[in-house]
Amino acid sequence: DQQVKQNSPSLSVQEGRISILNCDYTNSMFDYFLWYKKYPAEGPTFLISISSIKDKNEDGRFTVFLNKSAKHLSLHIVPSQPGDSAVYFCAASPSGGGADGLTFGKGTHLIIQP
Amino acid sequence: ETGVTQSPTHLIKTRGQQVTLRCSSQSGHNTVSWYQQALGQGPQFIFQYYREEENGRGNFPPRFSGLQFPNYSSELNVNALELDDSALYLCASSFLGFQETQYFGPGTRLLVL
């Protein structure tokens, strides 16, 4: 039973445009959400996070939106750049202590086309 | 500030053998977590260690065990290897209570034949 779902295995976006990556979750106990970016042969790199008490968090070109009632979050990248081509993972956690670990989605492969 | 390092980078074992993977945490981090990433899947939480004690575990059998040392380096041990254990094993270090500072190493690619 997948508790974090990323339904788009891949997404192709033109350079300079907005990239929108989506993530849905089913566990109501999740209250902290993160996005990670992964290049081949490297470990995931933390990008941005959001707590359930917020509905938006922004960091430079990256913005994460959280809709708790819909159990949905999205990552917006504006403008998209060639270096953004990577696999993006959505992750969630039910506690602040981290002892339950992070639950990840399967990832979305973002391809930025010139 | 040094990052998270893992060794070896690649490993091939046969079914039934035992394997030990190693991780060196980012400087100053007191918590280490291990994840298994099968092909085409997201990372799956195996367990977490804090102050040399396991303080959280995912849905993995007891043949997956670990150690954390006083210098915060860590080992993941897997006994009685099965073909399905073939995966990328990721180590992540952080401060307890701050998931956003969970820094991942490059991983160890394990192939079980």
Side-chain angles (χ1 to χ4, degrees):
Chain A
D1 176 34
Q2 257 197 301
Q3 298 185 65
V4 176
K5 298 178 185 178
Q6 294 177 256
N7 291 320
S8 299
S10 66
L11 176 67
S12 183
V13 174
Q14 205 165 8
E15 182 180 355
R17 302 276 188 144
I18 183 171
S19 295
I20 300 176
L21 295 96
N22 294 302
C23 177
D24 297 296
Y25 63 96
T26 58
N27 189 338
S28 301
M29 300 300 291
F30 288 148
D31 62 7
Y32 202 87
F33 305 89
L34 308 91
W35 284 93
Y36 282 84
K37 173 181 178 179
K38 188 178 185 301
Y39 293 119
E42 294 184 13
T45 302
F46 169 73
L47 268 181
I48 192 169
S49 62
I50 188 166
S51 161
S52 59
I53 62 173
K54 294 185 175 182
D55 55 18
K56 177 182 174 182
N57 189 25
E58 200 169 348
D59 183 2
R61 296 186 298 115
F62 302 92
T63 303
V64 56
F65 296 91
L66 175 63
N67 183 334
K68 280 184 62 180
S69 60
K71 293 191 176 67
H72 177 85
L73 61 154
S74 61
L75 174 68
H76 292 209
I77 306 173
V78 183
S80 300
Q81 299 175 354
D84 296 331
S85 294
V87 177
Y88 288 78
F89 290 99
C90 170
S93 172
S95 67
D100 296 309
L102 297 175
T103 300
F104 283 83
K106 290 187 176 182
T108 295
H109 186 191
L110 177 64
I111 302 160
I112 305 301
Q113 298 196 336
Chain B
E1 185 177 85
T2 57
V4 178
T5 59
Q6 292 186 241
S7 63
T9 55
H10 295 82
L11 202 52
I12 300 175
K13 291 285 188 178
T14 55
R15 195 170 48 182
Q17 284 189 311
Q18 178 266 342
V19 70
T20 297
L21 310 181
R22 294 179 174 83
C23 171
S24 180
S25 299
Q26 180 143 338
S27 176
H29 285 179
N30 57 11
T31 303
V32 65
S33 303
W34 285 90
Y35 291 80
Q36 180 195 68
Q37 186 179 10
L39 205 61
Q41 305 292 318
Q44 265 197 295
F45 176 64
I46 303 174
F47 46 56
Q48 182 182 89
Y49 275 78
Y50 171 66
R51 290 187 175 177
E52 302 171 49
E53 297 275 337
E54 182 183 300
N55 77 328
R57 190 176 184 95
N59 189 25
F60 279 82
R63 60 189 185 84
F64 286 79
S65 63
L67 286 172
Q68 185 186 29
F69 301 101
N71 64 354
Y72 302 130
S73 64
S74 171
E75 287 182 356
L76 164 65
N77 299 291
V78 187
N79 292 322
L81 283 167
E82 301 176 0
L83 298 180
D84 285 348
D85 295 333
S86 295
L88 178 69
Y89 288 85
L90 294 161
C91 164
S93 71
S94 61
F95 285 109
L96 188 70
F98 293 94
Q99 293 97 324
E100 66 268 29
T101 58
Q102 195 153 153
Y103 293 95
F104 283 83
T108 293
R109 175 76 61 187
L110 172 66
L111 178 60
V112 182
L113 300 175

